[in-house]
Amino acid sequence: MAKEGVEKAEETEQMIEKEAGKEPAEGGGGDGSHRLGDAQEMRAVVLAGFGGLNKLRLSRKAMPEPQDGELKIRVKACGLNFIDLMVRQGNIDNPPKTPLVPGFECSGIVEALGDSVKGYEIGDRVMAFVNYNAWAEVVCTPVDFVYKIPDDMSFSEAAAFPMNFVTAYVMLFEVANLREGMSVLVHSAGGGVGQAVAQLCSTVPNVTVFGTASTFKHEAIKDSVTHLFDRNADYVQEVKRISADGVDIVLDCLCGDNTGKGLSLLKPLGTYILYGSSNMVTGETKSFFSFAKSWWQVEKVNPIKLYEENKVIAGFSLLNLLFKQGRAGLIRGVVEKLIGLYNQKKIKPVVDSLWALEEVKEAMQRIHDRGNIGKLILDVEKTPTPLVSEKQEETVHLGNKSETLSQKKKNKKKKPE
């Protein structure tokens, strides 16, 4: 899936030559973009309104141009996160107006620089955070949210990097102060953040990682965590059977009754961090019942009880930290540390599968079904491929492995080693 550094360098050179030297064809731009009057167009995934998958469509929009302090990026790959599913449903606080282009992270090649931009050149390979609008062929975003990527990092890896690894790093090291010999419980251990958490924990000596995940994922991720439990099992008892005192850190992306369970598992001076609420998502569209049930199940926190038990409860939203609370400088420092770990071969994004922009509905359904191991990527240049072959066997990508549907059914029957 990943390309070698030399191939990437050649690809970058070809892109720049294409942009600089090819004359626009009649009715289209030299970069393959179409024109409407004097404005260039690009392909983008558009969310027409909040609701189900039928609210998503691939459309043509006017191509943006960089404003002062912005970079224009020719997108190669985009990350798909669970928060994107919640945005589609309108299942977030103060949702933006529709229609809109979803997506918060991407990777690609710098195509133009806005005024006052320093430190970047046209042709640089970068990854970026975007406050919506990432699922398109071209994006413009402030230079504060853009980062150069290593030569040997593929565009798909780069698109899988920012949201997952920055979230995991800040929670572990900035909020919970992970140190040698500590223990961590992470839910959805097979997802993008879960795998990033597991990898970062492995950079600290003697850290014990407890993880919950769907049983069919256990075989693929069993080496990344110390103790693995089924997501539907009584993990509180399982953890206490192994560690009677509980754990030092709980990372919860589920919410609902898992909040009370997580707090009950904390050791003295332990930290519980809520960074998602995926339990609120049950059907294809927003469910008031699921929202109300999840809210009702959340244990009401008593500060006096926290004081008496020496426990810490926290929340973390990377997007709010970046786009509402102005902590881009902090995040840049985190990204630099993470790139250092990547260059040392200590961490590496886990890419579940690549999808064309036209396949965004199928990709989003895979996240909804919790079927991914690692990150789903929208590959802007990928040609759509049939999900089912002529033999009616679905290919399921598990990292660098693949198996047919019939093989998957057989493997589901096997107990994890």
Side-chain angles (χ1 to χ4, degrees):
M1 220 175 264
K3 298 178 181 179
E4 297 297 329
V6 174
E7 293 177 318
K8 294 194 199 75
E10 292 176 351
E11 181 180 21
T12 303
E13 292 174 2
Q14 292 171 1
M15 173 68 76
I16 297 172
E17 289 173 0
K18 181 177 181 181
E19 299 301 318
K22 187 173 180 181
E23 291 297 325
E26 185 176 355
D31 56 4
S33 303
H34 289 241
R35 289 183 179 275
L36 181 62
D38 293 329
Q40 282 189 304
E41 285 191 319
M42 63 176 183
R43 293 185 307 148
V45 175
V46 174
L47 179 65
F50 299 119
L53 294 170
N54 63 336
K55 298 296 184 180
L56 292 166
R57 66 173 184 267
L58 188 62
S59 302
R60 291 200 171 274
K61 291 177 59 68
M63 186 182 298
E65 293 299 329
Q67 304 300 308
D68 184 27
E70 291 186 341
L71 292 174
K72 179 181 179 181
I73 301 171
R74 175 66 59 171
V75 176
K76 306 285 281 186
C78 322
L80 204 161
N81 300 283
F82 202 89
I83 185 66
D84 297 311
L85 191 155
M86 298 185 73
V87 168
R88 191 201 77 214
Q89 294 187 348
N91 211 348
I92 58 174
D93 287 335
N94 301 313
K97 294 181 179 180
T98 56
L100 61 86
V101 175
F104 298 102
E105 63 184 338
C106 66
S107 63
I109 299 172
V110 175
E111 193 169 80
L113 308 175
D115 293 339
S116 77
V117 171
K118 297 180 180 179
Y120 292 87
E121 298 179 353
I122 294 175
D124 281 345
R125 302 173 67 252
V126 297
M127 58 187 173
F129 290 109
V130 188
N131 195 7
Y132 293 99
N133 297 308
W135 295 355
E137 290 181 314
V138 173
V139 303
C140 291
T141 193
V143 65
D144 288 345
F145 307 142
V146 181
Y147 319 93
K148 294 179 183 178
I149 61 177
D151 291 339
D152 60 345
M153 180 182 283
S154 70
F155 285 113
S156 58
E157 286 180 332
F161 198 84
M163 287 281 286
N164 291 350
F165 275 95
V166 172
T167 295
Y169 187 97
V170 173
M171 290 194 300
L172 288 172
F173 298 106
E174 300 290 338
V175 180
N177 194 22
L178 178 67
R179 301 185 302 280
E180 181 176 355
M182 296 179 84
S183 54
V184 179
L185 168 65
V186 59
H187 292 295
S188 300
V193 174
Q195 285 295 287
V197 165
Q199 290 186 31
L200 288 171
C201 285
S202 71
T203 67
V204 180
N206 302 318
V207 171
T208 301
V209 180
F210 297 88
T212 68
S214 301
T215 304
F216 76 90
K217 298 183 181 183
H218 286 197
E219 182 65 25
I221 67 173
K222 64 180 182 180
D223 294 332
S224 64
V225 299
T226 317
H227 304 286
L228 191 56
F229 314 119
D230 181 75
R231 67 189 299 265
N232 296 314
D234 184 358
Y235 62 85
V236 173
Q237 294 304 315
E238 292 291 336
V239 171
K240 288 188 174 181
R241 181 177 56 82
I242 298 168
S243 174
D245 292 338
V247 297
D248 296 291
I249 301 170
V250 174
L251 304 178
D252 181 11
C253 60
L254 304 177
C255 199
D257 61 352
N258 292 281
T259 299
K261 293 177 180 179
L263 286 170
S264 73
L265 280 172
L266 284 183
K267 295 179 180 179
L269 301 183
T271 303
Y272 165 92
I273 305 175
L274 179 70
Y275 71 100
S277 53
S278 63
N279 276 350
M280 294 184 183
V281 177
T282 51
E284 185 178 336
T285 58
K286 182 177 179 179
S287 167
F288 176 78
F289 174 78
S290 297
F291 175 84
K293 179 183 177 182
S294 185
W295 179 85
W296 181 259
Q297 288 177 334
V298 173
E299 181 172 308
K300 306 307 178 280
V301 178
N302 184 342
I304 298 299
K305 188 176 180 181
L306 292 177
Y307 152 73
E308 292 174 344
E309 296 182 352
N310 286 301
K311 293 182 179 181
V312 178
I313 184 169
F316 180 68
S317 166
L318 175 57
L319 296 178
N320 285 346
L321 194 68
L322 272 174
F323 300 127
K324 294 182 179 180
Q325 297 167 336
R327 295 298 189 270
L330 168 66
I331 299 306
R332 181 168 296 279
V334 169
V335 171
E336 289 172 356
K337 292 174 184 176
L338 288 168
I339 289 177
L341 291 172
Y342 177 88
N343 288 334
Q344 296 170 37
K345 311 298 183 186
K346 292 183 177 181
I347 61 173
K348 184 180 178 64
V350 177
V351 176
D352 173 81
S353 48
L354 303 179
W355 305 76
L357 291 180
E358 292 87 348
E359 299 169 325
V360 64
K361 295 179 183 179
E362 291 86 352
M364 191 165 275
Q365 184 64 49
R366 182 166 173 80
I367 283 191
H368 182 277
D369 295 339
R370 280 73 166 178
N372 57 299
I373 297 177
K375 191 65 163 273
L376 275 75
I377 297 296
L378 296 178
D379 185 337
V380 175
E381 297 180 344
K382 183 178 181 296
T383 302
T385 53
L387 293 179
V388 182
S389 70
E390 293 180 358
K391 295 180 180 180
Q392 300 297 302
E393 288 187 327
E394 179 184 5
T395 298
V396 180
H397 297 281
L398 304 177
N400 294 324
K401 302 177 182 178
S402 65
E403 59 183 356
T404 64
L405 185 59
S406 58
Q407 290 171 330
K408 181 182 175 184
K409 289 179 179 178
K410 292 178 182 178
N411 289 340
K412 275 188 178 181
K413 297 177 182 179
K414 297 180 181 178
K415 293 182 179 180
E417 297 178 4

